[in-house]
Amino acid sequence: DDRTDGETGVATKTRPRTQRPPLYKVLLLNDDYTPMEFVVHILERFFGMTHAQAFELMLVVHKRGVAVVGVFSHEVAETKVAQVMDFARRHQHPLQCTMEKE
Ligand code: TYC
C-alpha cells in the first residue's frame, strides 16, 4: 500500500480498503388499519421470524411508528419489499414497507 508520487518522488501511504457491497435496511411502517396478526404473519412468512420474535417486532412498529425488520443486499431488500407490498395489497391492507441504504 505504498506508492510514490510521480512529480515529487514522495512516498505516500494509501490504506487498503476492503470492498463491501452496500446494505439496505428494510423498514416496516405503522398504520391504524392493518391487523396486528397480519403483520405478525408477514414477519414470519417473509423474514423467517418465530411467532414470538414477529409479535415482539410488530409491537415495536405499533408503538414507535417504524422499525428495521432486516438488513439485506439491494436485490434481496427489493424482493422483500415487493413481497410485503404485494401480500398487503392482495389482502387490501394499507401496510407500507420501504428500504433505505444503511
Ligand atoms: N397499528 C396496527 C393496529 O393497531 C397494527 C400494526 C402494527 C400495523 C405494525 C402496521 O407495521 C404495522 N391494528
Side-chain angles (χ1 to χ4, degrees):
D1 57 336
D2 280 344
R3 67 193 158 68
T4 306
D5 186 276
E7 301 256 321
T8 64
V10 175
T12 53
K13 296 261 182 193
T14 51
R15 239 168 349 130
R17 308 286 253 92
T18 307
Q19 286 282 16
R20 291 188 203 79
L23 292 175
Y24 292 79
K25 298 182 281 194
V26 170
L27 308 169
L28 201 61
L29 279 65
N30 187 38
D31 65 74
D32 293 339
Y33 304 103
T34 305
M36 289 185 172
E37 276 308 324
F38 184 81
V39 178
V40 171
H41 181 73
I42 279 196
L43 294 172
E44 292 174 311
R45 182 171 178 139
F46 299 120
F47 297 91
M49 296 182 194
T50 66
H51 191 79
Q53 290 170 334
F55 195 89
E56 198 175 303
L57 190 51
M58 179 279 297
L59 279 185
V60 173
V61 180
H62 177 69
K63 288 175 187 165
R64 300 177 62 95
V66 61
V68 176
V69 299
V71 178
F72 307 98
S73 69
H74 187 271
E75 184 177 347
V76 172
E78 259 188 352
T79 302
K80 301 283 183 197
V81 169
Q83 286 173 327
V84 172
M85 294 300 286
D86 185 61
F87 194 69
R89 189 173 41 79
R90 276 177 11 235
H91 290 83
Q92 303 189 36
H93 295 309
L95 183 65
Q96 294 294 309
C97 183
T98 61
M99 60 192 272
E100 69 177 37
K101 202 168 179 177
E102 207 178 39

